[in-house]
Structure formats: structure tokens, C-alpha cells
Amino acid sequence: MASFSLFLLLCFSSVMCFVCNNICHAQSSSFVLPVTKDDETLQYLTTLSYGTPFVPTKLVLDLGGPLLWVDCASTNTPSSSLLAIPHRSIQCLTAKSHDETEPQTWLSNPVTDQDQPCQILAENSITGKKAMEGELVEDLVALKSTEESKSSKIEPTHKVFFTCSPTLLFNGLASGARGMLGLGKSRRSFSSQIFYSFSTQRKITLCLSSSSGFVLFGSMTYEPEILRSLTFTPLVTDQNKIHASQEYFINVNSIKIGGKKVSFNQDGNGGTQLSSVVPYTTMQSSIYANFESAYLKAAMSMNMTRVPSVAPFGLCFSSHGIGSSQVGPNVPVIELVLQSEMVKWSIYGRNSMVRVSNEVVCLGFLDGGVNPRNPIVIGGYQLEDVLMQFDFDTSMLGFSSSLLMRHTSCSGFRIGSMPAQSL
């Protein structure tokens, strides 16, 4: 018991050691990464340069991911600055302590070789496959400050921890991707390390796009008017305790289609998850059945013509006769009613209908099965061209209406003097 108490004390006192390294004295900064979309897999990608010499590495962005993991073996030139973390180090103990899914045998049966590599197992959240091995390492990464000029020269002066995982794990990722960059709430996620390594505000601003978007860590030096008009809703804890520490959830109390309420019951299975790795919003089967029926009724009232389904979508329509506006096709508006009737997330045609051919558009919401882990998961397509700000100090999510309503988009959004597409 005494040794376990000592371990807890060491972990508590070492959180800053794990994520700060030697740069906690850095001045307040904000950092930005570009985000693009792979048309084939519908995955959102970013590029992070790491190592010495540093190499641009394509990674899949995982909003709820617990860590940064990379296929280190795919690098042609080994990094001279890469440092393996020993098994018995404080950094290793701290990294392992948050994960309830990993075996904790190292507590009661420690190995004698203190130089054995720290084993941290990564998971491919696209395929659900978990690595059987993986080593925690530390290396330099290149980060672009929002205060920097347009110069492409960025020095690799910032250290982060990440997991070197086997090549087999990146099967299922977009072509060229060599790992995943997690933005979840766990201590070892990429975003958590940035927050604790610098005197930056604990905020993530995310703007996904079908072309060029961005993720920004910290606050913008110049705050655009759109950020001052965000709608806010609490980030809630999911009832699934294993995943609650890292993923992001909001409460959806009801759904309206064309202004009419859809009957559904989440049966206390937890909040509504926000995901960048799920391409389209999924709903538990009973919720989806009511949702689809209500949407079809609203569509028929607008004289939309139903056509045969096109996989994976269940509800499709002829594109003929459907008008368009700045927010996409003129179709029934979907409203997610959050903590009150006054707080709604409105989803217009651009984010609800998917064009599968010149003749057919389909509703971009899918049946998630009878027993999904979460009853509703808001997928990437519904998040595109919506500016989202995750504030960890207030535990709130701020979100905009579709940027298209302001005659702009994530790709046209300006970060300081730079448009997102120039990152």
C-alpha cells in the first residue's frame, strides 16, 4: 500500500515532467496545423514534421484519439534526436497510469531491467485494431506559430512524446498516412502536451473542410468576429468510463426536422459523440428509423422525389427539382436541440445531403446498428465548414453556424494574415 501511495504521489508530481520536458518557460504561443481531406477514405489528414533531420509525416487526425502514434520504421533516415523512454521511468509510469484498458502488472511485478523500452499500445481507431507492441519515445517536432511570417522555414525545437507502432497498424489509413494524431483529453494526447509545454490557452479551434481546413492550439492573436458569436454547449462525460477520459460528447436532448420534433430515446446510453474518424453521422437503429421516417415525410412535403438507395446511404432523392442556396441544396433543415430550445445546432443541405452522382443526392446519416457504443455519433461530414472551439478551462464547446452563411468556408478562413489554404 505504501509503495502504491508513493507511486500516486510520483505520478501527480510528474504530470508536468511528462508533458513539459524542458520548455515550460516558453512564452505564450499559439500553433496551427493544416488539415486536408482524403477523397477516397474520407479521412482528415494533417502533416507533422519530426526528428533530426525532420521529415514531414502525414497523419490521420483523430479528434478523440488518446495519443500520437507513428510508424517510425517507415522513416528512411533514422532520427538522431529520438530518445526511447525506459520502462521504469516516471514518464512511462505517468503515460500508463491513465489507461484503464492496459494491463497494470508493472505495478506489482516490475521488471528488473530499468532500460527496457516503455511499452505503450496504440490503436487504429479507423479499423479498431490494437497494436501488440509499441514503444514510447520522445523527439523534436516542428510547430508553426500563428505569429510567424509566411516563411516555410520552421525549426524543430519542440519535444513531444509519441508511440512508435508497428507498420501493420496503419493498414486502413489513407494512402501515405503513417500514423494518427490524437486530440483527445488524455494526458498523452498531442493537444495536452502542447497545452502543458507552453503558456498557451487550453483551447482547440478546429475547422474541417472538404479541401483545406486547420486545427489551432491556443487562442488567436487576432480574434475574428465569428469567434465572438459562437454558440456554446457543455462538454459532458460519457457513461462509458473506459473512453470518457479522452473523447468529446455533448447532450442532444431532441432533434427537429423542418421544425417538427423527432421522437427518439437515447435510453441513458451516454451523450452524443463528436468524431473526425467517422465519415457520416451514425444513429442507433431505433433512433435512425424515426429520424429517417421524419426526414422522408418532410422531404415529400417539399416535393422531393425518392429514388433507390445507394450504399452506404439509406435515403436518396433525385437531384432534379431541388433548388440550391449558399448553404447547399434546399432540403429540410435538421436541428439538434441541445441544453434548451434556445440552443440548436442547425444542419443545412451542404452538411446533410451527399451528392453521389449528377442525378442523385443522399441523406448523409447512417444506421449505426442495434447496440453501438454511442447512440449518436456526429461524423466529419456534418462538421465541415463549422468552426468549433473546445475550451478545456470551461469545459465548453463553442460552434458556429455554417460558415457558408457568411460567404466563407474553412478553406477561406484567415488565421492572422494567412488563409487556411496557405498553411
Side-chain angles (χ1 to χ4, degrees), residues 2 8 80 123 171 192 212 217 268 289 302 311 319 331 337-338 369 387:
L8 291 178
S80 62
E123 180 179 358
N171 289 341
S192 291
S212 303
F217 307 93
M302 296 180 65
S319 60
V331 296
V337 182
L338 306 180
L387 189 70

Side-chain angles (χ1 to χ4, degrees), residues 77-89:
T77 304
S79 171
S80 62
S81 56
L82 185 142
L83 176 66
I85 303 302
H87 176 83
R88 297 294 303 280
S89 66

Side-chain angles (χ1 to χ4, degrees), residues 390-405:
F390 298 80
D391 190 324
F392 298 93
D393 291 328
T394 62
S395 194
M396 298 288 285
L397 169 69
F399 61 93
S400 72
S401 57
S402 173
L403 294 180
L404 302 181
M405 298 184 70

Side-chain angles (χ1 to χ4, degrees), residues 178-204:
R178 290 296 178 265
M180 303 188 78
L181 187 143
L183 302 181
K185 294 182 288 184
S186 71
R187 283 198 297 265
R188 65 190 185 190
S189 73
F190 182 79
S191 49
S192 291
Q193 293 191 62
I194 296 300
F195 296 148
Y196 285 109
S197 296
F198 303 93
S199 299
T200 186
Q201 291 191 21
R202 298 191 334 125
K203 294 179 180 179
I204 295 175

